[in-house]
């Protein structure tokens, strides 16, 4: 039941669609422009750097707030709190990617995943940030940087989890590792069309004219 609560709570937080709400405040629906995605990358391309940054921060912080609430609610279960954080994080990403009131058409969950990194482990977040900035700076492919961030999340969280840094009880460690992989796979799967374009050499580069 605790896991269901975390999933449901996370989904509710994820329903706060920063990109959609920001675009509506500017008399437009971001889903009708660019890639049709309501995430920060499409907002960046369509509405500019300031808008993209605002949406990224909004989507990241809804995850951070959800995780802070999870830490508070389950503060008396320290050996399971990271498992619950994984469920909450997955719930937020589901709410962000598949908001029911928008016809289940949301974002790709990368900004929300960045918030999850910040809420769970600063070391993995730092490595992911360096990888993302370096890849985007060299290739100008935001999608490639985002995919690699999810791989860093997958490997880093499992590594520190098995190492014992999160204090997860031994019986719950496999569950934690599975949830981490589910979150990572979700992020990569949401970029499946980008992967096809990357392989074919037709993916849009950051700053390139369409």
């Amino acid at each position: 039941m605790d896991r269901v609560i975390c999933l449901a709570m996370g989904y509710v937080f994820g329903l706060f669609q920063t990109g959609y709400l920001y675009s509506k405040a500017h008399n437009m629906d971001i889903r009708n422009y660019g890639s049709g995605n309501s995430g920060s990358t499409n907002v960046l391309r369509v509405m500019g750097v300031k808008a993209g940054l605002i949406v990224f921060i909004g989507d990241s912080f809804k995850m951070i707030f959800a995780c802070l609430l999870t830490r508070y609610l389950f503060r008396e279960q320290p050996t399971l709190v990271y498992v619950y954080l994984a469920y909450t994080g997955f719930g937020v990403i589901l709410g962000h990617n598949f908001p029911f009131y928008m016809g289940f058409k949301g974002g790709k969950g990368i900004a929300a995943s960045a918030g999850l990194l910040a809420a769970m482990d600063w070391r993995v977040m730092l490595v992911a940030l360096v990888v993302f900035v370096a890849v985007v700076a060299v290739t100008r492919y935001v999608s490639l940087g985002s995919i690699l961030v999810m791989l860093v999340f997958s490997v880093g969280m499992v590594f520190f989890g098995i190492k014992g840094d999160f204090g997860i009880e031994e019986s719950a460690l496999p569950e934690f590792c599975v949830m981490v992989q589910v979150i990572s796979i979700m992020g990569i799967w949401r970029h499946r069309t980008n992967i096809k374009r990357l392989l074919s050499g037709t993916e849009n580069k950051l700053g390139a004219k369409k």
Side-chain angles (χ1 to χ4, degrees), residues 71-134:
R71 285 184 180 274
Y72 176 77
L73 292 176
F74 300 101
R75 61 192 181 280
E76 296 181 359
Q77 301 182 56
T79 61
L80 288 174
V81 69
Y82 272 86
V83 176
Y84 296 150
L85 285 174
Y87 278 95
T88 299
F90 187 51
V92 173
I93 291 169
L94 287 176
H96 176 80
N97 292 352
F98 310 106
F100 72 89
Y101 67 94
M102 291 170 56
F104 300 97
K105 184 182 179 182
K108 295 182 179 178
I110 298 303
S113 297
L116 184 59
L117 278 165
M120 294 183 80
D121 192 277
W122 66 269
R123 297 165 297 183
V124 182
M125 179 192 71
L126 184 60
V127 173
L129 178 62
V130 170
V131 168
F132 180 82
V133 171

Side-chain angles (χ1 to χ4, degrees), residues 130-142 144-145 205-206:
V130 170
V131 168
F132 180 82
V133 171
V135 169
V136 174
V138 172
T139 68
R140 290 194 294 158
Y141 288 133
V142 175
L144 180 58
K205 289 187 175 183
L206 184 64

Side-chain angles (χ1 to χ4, degrees), residues 18-175:
T18 314
Y20 173 75
L21 295 173
Y22 185 87
S23 67
K24 278 294 188 180
H26 289 77
N27 302 313
M28 62 183 291
D29 186 341
I30 190 61
R31 296 174 299 170
N32 297 327
Y33 298 85
S35 65
N37 190 277
S38 64
S40 56
T41 300
N42 193 41
V43 172
L44 170 66
R45 290 183 183 279
V46 175
M47 302 182 69
V49 175
K50 178 183 176 181
L53 183 60
I54 290 172
V55 171
F56 182 87
I57 291 173
D59 286 342
S60 297
F61 270 85
K62 70 185 179 187
M63 174 69 82
I64 292 173
F65 291 144
C67 289
L68 287 174
L69 181 57
T70 298
R71 285 184 180 274
Y72 176 77
L73 292 176
F74 300 101
R75 61 192 181 280
E76 296 181 359
Q77 301 182 56
T79 61
L80 288 174
V81 69
Y82 272 86
V83 176
Y84 296 150
L85 285 174
Y87 278 95
T88 299
F90 187 51
V92 173
I93 291 169
L94 287 176
H96 176 80
N97 292 352
F98 310 106
F100 72 89
Y101 67 94
M102 291 170 56
F104 300 97
K105 184 182 179 182
K108 295 182 179 178
I110 298 303
S113 297
L116 184 59
L117 278 165
M120 294 183 80
D121 192 277
W122 66 269
R123 297 165 297 183
V124 182
M125 179 192 71
L126 184 60
V127 173
L129 178 62
V130 170
V131 168
F132 180 82
V133 171
V135 169
V136 174
V138 172
T139 68
R140 290 194 294 158
Y141 288 133
V142 175
S143 57
L144 180 58
S146 299
I147 291 167
L148 292 178
V149 163
M150 298 314 301
L151 292 176
V152 170
F153 171 81
S154 170
V155 174
M157 289 300 174
V158 170
F159 173 78
F160 287 117
I162 293 175
K163 188 170 175 283
D165 288 13
F166 302 149
I168 303 170
E169 61 183 55
E170 188 174 347
S171 62
L173 187 56
E175 182 182 5

